[in-house]
Amino acid sequence: MATIQNTKPTPEKLVADLTLLLDLEPQGGDRFIGRRHPEGTGRVFGGQAIAQALGAARRTVEPDREAHSLHAYFLRPGTDDCPIEYRVKRDLDGRSFSNRRVVASQDGKPILNLTASFQKPSDGPSNQHSSMPDVPGPEDLEPDAIIRRRFAEHLPEGPVRQLLLRPQPVDFRSVEDRDWLKPKVRDPVSHVWFRTVAPLPPDRPMHRAVLSYISDFQVLATALHPFGKGIHTGEVKAASLDHTIWFHEPFSVDDWLLYVTDSPWSGHGRGCAKGQVFARDGRLVASVMQEGMLRHLT
């Protein structure tokens, strides 16, 4: 059995690399280039494309307007062999709202379309019907990274082992038991605490971009819980089809947030999942919806 390497980047380096990944290179004319992030899979992680596209849109909007929603469609698998080009269309700059369309392309072919809406600060009726679930706090849970490492010790060298061992800029702590190799049949509900492993700059647009990046983790996997299958077990072919986020309240991604996901439906080769993100004080800070392709391989 191969020896697991003990050397790894510092938490500060991991978070710095993430912020650099989301810091686009302007090319003029509302055109931007997103950096590569090879992960060993050959594909672009969907959360990366969403976060970079949101960042491209944000750079064309007045600073006093913040993103309150985004809607993205994944068109083609992206490759980590080359950067991604983002072109922004300025559809609206009204008195309170701005709307942008973004096309992400590689080799001249679109891989993602995203629409984002931005709003000036405003007052209005306020209500929160959803309550934060009563679950153990993150201090009482083992980090997912440690659990992944234990599973990886039993795997031969290969993409799955590499994926489980890769240091992440985000500390995930799952409330439910996680078994990445042999998932158990259970209800399509998950509760996961998360925060970046080191502080982020106090820049609210960056925190929204990082949450967009994180929101693509784990949500679609919830739809597979009733079948005892996982995204990385080789039994199912999975791919995100569309992804929506609504940002409700200010938040800090370097403080603990609870990601509550459930899947109301799956069928016809697709699965639908939704998520709610709560701050530790119980505020609902964001809502997520995603539909993805789910096809049996075995």
Side-chain angles (χ1 to χ4, degrees), residues 5-297:
Q5 298 295 323
N6 293 319
T7 58
K8 60 181 181 180
T10 65
E12 292 76 15
K13 177 66 164 58
L14 288 168
V15 171
D17 287 347
L18 176 59
T19 57
L20 179 63
L21 177 69
L22 304 183
D23 185 18
L24 306 180
E25 300 176 1
Q27 302 295 304
D30 291 348
R31 176 174 166 266
F32 304 86
I33 297 295
R35 294 174 173 85
R36 298 172 55 236
H37 182 53
E39 292 191 333
T41 62
R43 300 178 66 175
V44 173
F45 171 55
Q48 172 191 332
I50 291 172
Q52 288 182 336
L54 177 62
R58 178 68 184 84
R59 283 159 174 77
T60 69
V61 175
E62 292 298 320
D64 65 341
R65 302 187 179 206
E66 292 189 315
H68 70 88
S69 68
L70 66 83
H71 304 266
Y73 279 91
F74 297 94
L75 306 178
R76 294 178 175 86
T79 174
D80 59 14
D81 290 334
C82 60
I84 305 174
E85 178 188 67
Y86 296 90
R87 291 184 178 269
V88 182
K89 297 292 186 182
R90 305 188 185 210
D91 286 339
L92 172 70
D93 281 307
R95 287 180 296 178
S96 299
F97 293 89
S98 293
N99 190 280
R100 298 292 186 264
R101 280 180 296 145
V102 185
V103 178
S105 301
Q106 288 182 317
D107 294 328
K109 296 180 179 180
I111 64 171
L112 175 136
N113 288 340
L114 177 141
T115 302
S117 185
F118 301 80
Q119 181 189 19
K120 281 186 176 181
S122 178
D123 292 327
S126 179
N127 175 63
Q128 178 179 317
H129 182 68
S130 296
S131 299
M132 183 177 180
D134 183 12
V135 297
E139 297 84 3
D140 299 323
L141 300 170
E142 189 174 29
D144 284 11
I146 295 176
I147 302 172
R148 290 198 306 266
R149 192 176 183 87
R150 284 202 298 267
F151 281 116
E153 290 175 348
H154 304 285
L155 293 176
E157 286 291 348
V160 175
R161 185 174 188 271
Q162 183 180 355
L163 187 67
L164 291 176
L165 288 177
R166 182 179 300 115
Q168 297 282 356
V170 182
D171 183 356
F172 293 101
R173 302 195 181 189
S174 299
V175 173
E176 289 81 16
D177 291 337
R178 297 294 302 274
D179 189 330
W180 278 269
L181 303 182
K182 297 179 180 179
K184 298 176 182 178
V185 174
R186 58 187 178 92
D187 290 339
V189 179
S190 287
H191 304 80
V192 182
W193 291 97
F194 68 86
R195 69 176 178 183
T196 55
V197 296
L200 284 166
D203 174 43
R204 284 167 63 156
M206 176 57 71
H207 284 255
R208 279 171 165 74
V210 173
L211 179 59
S212 301
Y213 175 85
I214 295 171
S215 69
D216 195 34
F217 281 98
Q218 311 201 47
V219 59
L220 185 58
T222 311
L224 292 173
H225 292 342
F227 313 103
K229 297 182 183 295
I231 297 290
H232 303 296
T233 60
E235 301 171 288
V236 174
K237 183 177 181 180
S240 301
L241 296 174
D242 58 6
H243 192 94
T244 298
I245 307 174
W246 295 270
F247 302 103
H248 305 312
E249 298 282 353
F251 56 87
S252 297
V253 188
D254 48 12
D255 195 3
W256 288 111
L257 298 170
L258 179 66
Y259 198 11
V260 182
T261 60
D262 69 89
S263 175
W265 173 89
S266 61
H268 308 294
R270 306 190 315 277
C272 183
K274 59 187 178 75
Q276 293 180 303
V277 183
F278 292 90
R280 292 206 70 168
D281 60 8
R283 289 178 303 120
L284 178 65
V285 301
S287 297
V288 178
M289 287 292 297
Q290 184 179 97
E291 188 175 52
M293 179 188 73
L294 297 174
R295 293 177 179 170
H296 294 293
L297 293 179

